[in-house]
Short mmCIF file of all heavy atoms in Angstrom, two decimals:
data_model
loop_
_atom_site.label_atom_id
_atom_site.label_comp_id
_atom_site.label_asym_id
_atom_site.label_seq_id
_atom_site.Cartn_x
_atom_site.Cartn_y
_atom_site.Cartn_z
N LYS A 1150 -12.88 37.62 3.24
CA LYS A 1150 -13.79 38.75 2.96
C LYS A 1150 -15.10 38.39 3.67
O LYS A 1150 -15.86 37.55 3.19
CB LYS A 1150 -13.98 38.83 1.45
CG LYS A 1150 -14.71 40.03 0.95
CD LYS A 1150 -14.69 40.10 -0.57
CE LYS A 1150 -15.37 38.92 -1.23
NZ LYS A 1150 -15.28 38.91 -2.68
N ARG A 1196 -15.77 31.27 0.95
CA ARG A 1196 -16.15 32.07 -0.23
C ARG A 1196 -15.05 31.85 -1.27
O ARG A 1196 -14.89 30.74 -1.73
CB ARG A 1196 -16.31 33.54 0.18
CG ARG A 1196 -17.44 33.73 1.17
CD ARG A 1196 -17.70 35.18 1.50
NE ARG A 1196 -18.13 35.91 0.32
CZ ARG A 1196 -18.45 37.21 0.31
NH1 ARG A 1196 -18.36 37.90 1.44
NH2 ARG A 1196 -18.84 37.80 -0.79
N SER A 1197 -14.28 32.90 -1.60
CA SER A 1197 -13.17 32.69 -2.55
C SER A 1197 -11.92 32.17 -1.83
O SER A 1197 -10.85 32.07 -2.44
CB SER A 1197 -12.84 33.99 -3.28
OG SER A 1197 -13.90 34.32 -4.15
N ARG A 1216 -18.67 25.86 -0.90
CA ARG A 1216 -18.29 27.18 -1.40
C ARG A 1216 -19.60 27.98 -1.48
O ARG A 1216 -20.47 27.65 -2.31
CB ARG A 1216 -17.65 26.99 -2.78
CG ARG A 1216 -16.90 28.19 -3.31
CD ARG A 1216 -17.83 29.24 -3.85
NE ARG A 1216 -17.04 30.24 -4.53
CZ ARG A 1216 -17.03 31.53 -4.18
NH1 ARG A 1216 -17.77 31.96 -3.20
NH2 ARG A 1216 -16.30 32.38 -4.86
N ALA A 1217 -19.76 28.95 -0.59
CA ALA A 1217 -20.99 29.77 -0.62
C ALA A 1217 -20.88 30.72 -1.80
O ALA A 1217 -20.41 31.84 -1.69
CB ALA A 1217 -21.13 30.53 0.70
N GLY A 1218 -21.30 30.23 -2.96
CA GLY A 1218 -21.17 30.99 -4.19
C GLY A 1218 -21.17 30.06 -5.38
O GLY A 1218 -21.52 28.87 -5.24
N ALA A 1219 -20.79 30.59 -6.52
CA ALA A 1219 -20.89 29.82 -7.76
C ALA A 1219 -19.59 29.11 -8.13
O ALA A 1219 -19.54 27.89 -8.29
CB ALA A 1219 -21.31 30.75 -8.89
N GLY A 1220 -18.52 29.89 -8.28
CA GLY A 1220 -17.25 29.34 -8.79
C GLY A 1220 -16.52 28.56 -7.72
O GLY A 1220 -16.31 29.05 -6.62
N ASN A 1243 -26.09 33.89 -5.33
CA ASN A 1243 -25.57 35.26 -5.33
C ASN A 1243 -25.61 35.89 -6.73
O ASN A 1243 -25.00 36.93 -6.98
CB ASN A 1243 -24.15 35.31 -4.74
CG ASN A 1243 -23.16 34.44 -5.51
OD1 ASN A 1243 -23.44 34.03 -6.63
ND2 ASN A 1243 -22.01 34.18 -4.92
N VAL A 1247 -24.30 39.77 -8.72
CA VAL A 1247 -23.25 39.85 -9.74
C VAL A 1247 -23.80 40.54 -10.98
O VAL A 1247 -23.16 41.41 -11.57
CB VAL A 1247 -22.69 38.45 -10.07
CG1 VAL A 1247 -21.61 38.54 -11.14
CG2 VAL A 1247 -22.15 37.76 -8.82
N THR A 1363 -17.30 39.85 -15.04
CA THR A 1363 -17.62 39.62 -13.63
C THR A 1363 -17.43 38.13 -13.33
O THR A 1363 -17.96 37.62 -12.34
CB THR A 1363 -19.06 40.04 -13.27
OG1 THR A 1363 -19.96 39.40 -14.18
CG2 THR A 1363 -19.25 41.54 -13.30
N ALA A 1364 -16.68 37.45 -14.21
CA ALA A 1364 -16.46 36.01 -14.03
C ALA A 1364 -15.16 35.82 -13.23
O ALA A 1364 -15.18 35.92 -11.99
CB ALA A 1364 -16.42 35.32 -15.39
N ARG A 1365 -14.06 35.58 -13.92
CA ARG A 1365 -12.77 35.41 -13.26
C ARG A 1365 -11.71 36.08 -14.11
O ARG A 1365 -11.72 35.96 -15.33
CB ARG A 1365 -12.40 33.92 -13.12
CG ARG A 1365 -13.22 33.13 -12.13
CD ARG A 1365 -12.87 33.48 -10.69
NE ARG A 1365 -13.62 32.70 -9.73
CZ ARG A 1365 -14.83 33.01 -9.26
NH1 ARG A 1365 -15.44 34.12 -9.67
NH2 ARG A 1365 -15.43 32.24 -8.38
N LYS A 1412 -12.88 42.07 -5.28
CA LYS A 1412 -13.97 41.37 -5.98
C LYS A 1412 -15.27 41.61 -5.20
O LYS A 1412 -15.38 41.23 -4.04
CB LYS A 1412 -13.68 39.88 -6.09
CG LYS A 1412 -14.74 39.12 -6.88
CD LYS A 1412 -14.15 38.01 -7.69
CE LYS A 1412 -13.91 36.76 -6.87
NZ LYS A 1412 -15.09 35.92 -6.66
N GLY A 1414 -18.69 41.46 -6.79
CA GLY A 1414 -19.93 41.06 -7.46
C GLY A 1414 -20.95 40.51 -6.48
O GLY A 1414 -22.14 40.85 -6.53
N ALA A 1415 -20.50 39.65 -5.59
CA ALA A 1415 -21.42 39.00 -4.65
C ALA A 1415 -21.47 39.71 -3.30
O ALA A 1415 -22.03 39.18 -2.35
CB ALA A 1415 -21.00 37.55 -4.45
N GLN A 1416 -20.89 40.92 -3.24
CA GLN A 1416 -20.85 41.62 -1.95
C GLN A 1416 -22.10 42.44 -1.70
O GLN A 1416 -22.06 43.68 -1.68
CB GLN A 1416 -19.60 42.52 -1.89
CG GLN A 1416 -18.36 41.85 -1.35
CD GLN A 1416 -18.47 41.32 0.05
OE1 GLN A 1416 -19.33 40.49 0.33
NE2 GLN A 1416 -17.61 41.74 0.95
C1 LIG B 660 -18.77 33.38 -6.96
O1 LIG B 660 -18.09 32.59 -7.62
O2 LIG B 660 -19.81 33.04 -6.38
C2 LIG B 660 -18.40 34.84 -6.92
O3 LIG B 660 -17.20 35.07 -7.59
C3 LIG B 660 -18.37 35.43 -5.53
O4 LIG B 660 -17.17 35.30 -4.85
P1 LIG B 660 -17.02 35.83 -3.35
O5 LIG B 660 -17.91 35.05 -2.48
O6 LIG B 660 -15.58 35.63 -3.00
O7 LIG B 660 -17.38 37.27 -3.33
#
Side-chain angles (χ1 to χ4, degrees):
K1150 189 173 62 184
R1196 297 185 63 179
S1197 291
R1216 194 283 189 239
N1243 59 16
V1247 180
T1363 53
R1365 290 287 182 273
K1412 183 144 82 81
Q1416 271 300 58

